[in-house]
Amino acid sequence: MAGPLVPLVPYAFCFQPTDQEIIRSFLYRMGVKRELLLQPYNEYVHEEDLFDFKEPWEIWEEYGGDDHFNQDLYFFCELERLPPTGLRIRRNIGEGIWNQKQPTKLVYNENRHPNPMGRKKMFLYENRGSEQHGGWILDEYSLLVGADGSDQTASKDRYDFPFVICRLRKNDRSGGKKKRNN
């Protein structure tokens, strides 16, 4: 007879990894080493294309976003280049686009090693005809060259690996309300 099920995470656990943990513990393992995440982390980092036909609020609802009070959702995604051998990355989502709103931030190890381990970019959902315009934020984490042991001469704008981890969250500042042009 099997014993009672024991939860893998403590009651009221809140998954809030640091930028370094996202890059080192999740993106590196999934993108470079091709390892699956172990429990309980596989319940918090999902595989989903955030640059496709679904709107951000549809993805949010599909993964129970409103059920996770004060939580963000995390996704492992493959980037699509335009054209396939080009440098530009496809940033469409549903009827809108992800528009970068802040300069790229380099992410360093906790010990401040002189070479960055990755980068973080912040995007805002834009669709001027939608009530959700400005209502969603996407933080995109990517690895820099050197994360796989090769020479670390990285560019802030070039993608060295085809995979990213994205954090999707509601933009509390906008409230997802349509902006009026007076």
Side-chain angles (χ1 to χ4, degrees), residues 63-83:
Y63 288 94
D66 286 336
D67 294 337
H68 303 289
F69 177 73
N70 206 18
Q71 283 271 121
D72 301 329
L73 296 178
Y74 295 85
F75 299 95
F76 180 72
C77 310
E78 185 170 3
L79 297 174
E80 182 182 336
R81 294 181 186 276
L82 298 172

Side-chain angles (χ1 to χ4, degrees), residues 2 7 36 72 89 157 171 173:
L36 296 176
D72 301 329
I89 302 295
D157 298 316
N171 185 1
R173 288 187 179 171

Side-chain angles (χ1 to χ4, degrees), residues 65-116:
D66 286 336
D67 294 337
H68 303 289
F69 177 73
N70 206 18
Q71 283 271 121
D72 301 329
L73 296 178
Y74 295 85
F75 299 95
F76 180 72
C77 310
E78 185 170 3
L79 297 174
E80 182 182 336
R81 294 181 186 276
L82 298 172
T85 58
L87 296 176
R88 289 186 46 234
I89 302 295
R90 182 173 174 263
R91 298 278 182 222
N92 299 19
I93 180 165
E95 298 292 320
I97 61 166
W98 291 115
N99 192 6
Q100 188 171 352
K101 288 298 181 182
Q102 293 180 352
T104 299
K105 174 187 164 196
L106 293 175
V107 178
Y108 294 87
N109 283 325
E110 292 86 353
N111 64 5
R112 293 295 295 176
H113 187 275
N115 292 326

Side-chain angles (χ1 to χ4, degrees), residues 1 7 22 29 31 33 46 50 52 75 85 116-117 176 178 181:
M1 179 174 159
I22 291 170
R29 283 191 174 149
K33 294 176 108 182
H46 313 283
L50 299 184
D52 204 4
F75 299 95
T85 58
M117 60 191 295
K178 193 174 189 176
N181 295 332

Side-chain angles (χ1 to χ4, degrees), residues 2-132:
L5 293 176
V6 177
L8 295 172
V9 295
Y11 178 73
F13 172 77
C14 191
F15 183 70
Q16 295 179 331
T18 65
D19 294 348
Q20 291 85 0
E21 289 169 332
I22 291 170
I23 291 171
R24 180 187 59 244
S25 300
F26 305 115
L27 183 55
Y28 179 76
R29 283 191 174 149
M30 294 176 78
V32 175
K33 294 176 108 182
R34 305 279 194 215
E35 293 177 357
L36 296 176
L37 293 181
L38 300 176
Q39 291 219 342
Y41 304 110
N42 63 350
E43 296 178 28
Y44 296 101
V45 180
H46 313 283
E47 290 191 38
E48 181 74 41
D49 187 355
L50 299 184
F51 309 104
D52 204 4
F53 302 106
K54 294 181 188 173
E55 297 289 353
W57 57 92
E58 293 171 337
I59 295 168
W60 184 261
E61 290 171 8
E62 182 178 334
Y63 288 94
D66 286 336
D67 294 337
H68 303 289
F69 177 73
N70 206 18
Q71 283 271 121
D72 301 329
L73 296 178
Y74 295 85
F75 299 95
F76 180 72
C77 310
E78 185 170 3
L79 297 174
E80 182 182 336
R81 294 181 186 276
L82 298 172
T85 58
L87 296 176
R88 289 186 46 234
I89 302 295
R90 182 173 174 263
R91 298 278 182 222
N92 299 19
I93 180 165
E95 298 292 320
I97 61 166
W98 291 115
N99 192 6
Q100 188 171 352
K101 288 298 181 182
Q102 293 180 352
T104 299
K105 174 187 164 196
L106 293 175
V107 178
Y108 294 87
N109 283 325
E110 292 86 353
N111 64 5
R112 293 295 295 176
H113 187 275
N115 292 326
M117 60 191 295
R119 73 181 146 238
K120 175 181 173 183
K121 293 184 176 189
M122 186 262 220
F123 297 90
L124 188 65
Y125 174 75
E126 291 189 355
N127 181 350
R128 300 224 182 268
S130 170
E131 290 184 9
Q132 299 285 336

